[in-house]
Amino acid sequence: SMSTAPAGYLFTLTHFDGDPDRVATPLALAVDALATGTDTLLWLTVNGAKLARRGAADALVPKSFPPVAELLAMYIESGGRIGVCPPCGKTHGVTEQNIVANAQWMGASALLLEARDRQVFSF
C-alpha cells in the first residue's frame, strides 16, 4: 500500500526560559511521532540548547502540558534522538558530562543531511 507518511520528522526547538508550553509542544508532538513508528529527531538550538543539559527541564512546568521533564523522559525512553547545536550548547553550558541521554552534537552540515526527506516543525 502507498504510504503518505514522511520518512521522518524534525522538530527544532529554539526557546527555553519563560515559555514552558513552547518547549513542551514539540516534545509532545515528538513523543506522538515516535509512537507511530516514524524516525524522529529533536534539534536543540539557540536557547533551546539549554534542554540538553541534564536536569534543566525540571524547572519547566507548562500550563497546558505534562511537565517538560516527563515529556523529555518519555521521548528518550521511546528511543527519540536529540541533536544539539554545538556553539549553542557551549553557550549554555552543555558538556559531555551533563548532556542528556540520546543526545549528540549536531552541527549545520549534519543537521542539513538529517533534514532531507523529513517534515520539519519549528518552535
Side-chain angles (χ1 to χ4, degrees), residues 29-105:
L29 286 166
V31 167
D32 281 1
L34 272 181
T36 69
T38 310
D39 184 46
T40 303
L41 174 65
L42 176 69
W43 192 57
L44 308 176
T45 187
V46 196
N47 287 334
K50 291 183 182 183
L51 187 64
R53 212 172 58 232
R54 253 198 319 273
D58 297 350
L60 297 183
V61 182
K63 294 181 186 75
S64 313
F65 292 91
V68 170
E70 204 175 288
L71 290 168
L72 182 62
M74 284 171 66
Y75 179 71
I76 290 169
E77 284 160 20
S78 304
R81 295 171 54 225
I82 300 168
V84 184
C85 162
C88 308
K90 188 176 180 187
T91 296
H92 295 298
V94 182
T95 66
E96 289 296 334
Q97 286 68 47
N98 67 18
I99 199 166
V100 294
N102 291 27
Q104 64 191 88
W105 298 111

